[in-house]
Amino acid sequence: MDRLTKAAAWLWLGAILFVTVSPIGMRPHDVMPVNYDRALAFTLMAGLFVTAYPRRFWTCAVLMIVGAAAIELLQYLSASRHARLGDAFVKAFGAMVGVAFGYAANRLRRLRPFSR
């Protein structure tokens, strides 16, 4: 299970990086407002990393929140994209929510280990 969670976390990070840096026309579209998309993507990513690396909670928490701003700045590499402080805050908020969910999931896992 740990390998699957780690793989999912790194794949999700790769997907976020691709969507962030790729031209705007390649960005996937759905029915949700864009800020919900951003927050949800970072919530999922942070939750996956915190559950994949439970002994590195603080490292994951800091990197997810600081990484939100760094990933937003990567948009300067694409001519059709532009970084915005508000978008970075939305992503950082999503990351904080994901960190909290991941922390709670790790606590529950320690209290009730899966039986084989």
Side-chain angles (χ1 to χ4, degrees):
M1 187 68 160
D2 288 338
R3 284 185 180 178
L4 181 63
T5 308
K6 286 177 183 177
W10 286 104
L11 285 171
W12 195 252
L13 172 60
I16 287 175
L17 288 171
F18 173 77
V19 168
T20 300
V21 179
S22 65
I24 195 74
M26 294 181 69
R27 186 178 184 277
H29 300 283
D30 59 22
V31 296
M32 290 190 335
V34 149
N35 280 338
Y36 291 152
D37 266 353
R38 291 178 181 123
L40 185 59
F42 276 78
T43 298
L44 181 58
M45 181 180 66
L48 284 169
F49 270 103
V50 169
T51 55
Y53 299 96
R55 293 184 180 158
R56 305 271 189 247
F57 169 77
W58 287 108
T59 303
C60 287
V62 169
L63 287 176
M64 292 296 109
I65 294 164
V66 171
I71 289 173
E72 184 66 21
L73 289 175
L74 284 175
Q75 289 187 5
Y76 283 119
L77 299 175
S78 177
S80 66
R81 307 295 295 265
H82 28 273
R84 292 194 174 113
L85 187 58
D87 294 348
F89 282 128
V90 168
K91 291 173 182 179
F93 176 76
M96 288 188 291
V97 171
V99 165
F101 280 134
Y103 180 79
N106 287 338
R107 296 281 299 198
L108 288 173
R109 246 178 27 182
R110 276 194 305 226
L111 292 175
R112 290 183 32 164
F114 294 107
S115 59
R116 292 184 180 209

